[in-house]
Amino acid sequence: MKTASIALLKAVQGAHYGDVIHKSQFQSKNKHPALMFQFGLHVDERDGLLRCLGRLHHTELPDKTKFLILIPKKNHLKILIVEAAHLIVMH
């Protein structure tokens, strides 16, 4: 993923999930916020993005495919990402 895309995603995640990211880095595993357990969230060591544990975690796909990036539901960046994907696949 390009550096600019990662920076945008980090900014959006920081604005919406900053407390979750902060608590996940500085608290023991027993005291993580409920959102961390509900979605199986973790901060990716390579790009610093908050990712979800999905149904694909047992596959042999690359980690960036298996562990989806968490994006807030009501955010304009999410709309832009979906629209770009639709244009790429001509959906």
Side-chain angles (χ1 to χ4, degrees), residues 27-85:
Q27 290 185 353
S28 70
K29 292 191 178 198
N30 298 343
K31 295 183 180 181
H32 285 318
L35 191 64
M36 297 290 288
F37 290 114
Q38 183 179 1
F39 293 110
L41 299 179
H42 68 279
V43 177
D44 192 323
E45 295 172 359
R46 290 167 297 199
D47 56 22
L49 292 171
L50 195 58
R51 294 182 177 267
C52 305
L53 181 66
R55 297 177 296 190
L56 302 173
H57 70 280
H58 291 298
T59 65
E60 294 182 18
L61 295 169
D63 283 350
K64 69 179 185 176
T65 304
K66 289 194 283 189
F67 304 112
L68 305 175
I69 299 169
L70 181 65
I71 303 172
K73 184 177 182 177
K74 295 181 180 184
N75 186 274
H76 190 65
L77 181 61
K78 178 203 66 146
I79 295 167
L80 294 174
I81 292 170
V82 171
E83 286 177 355

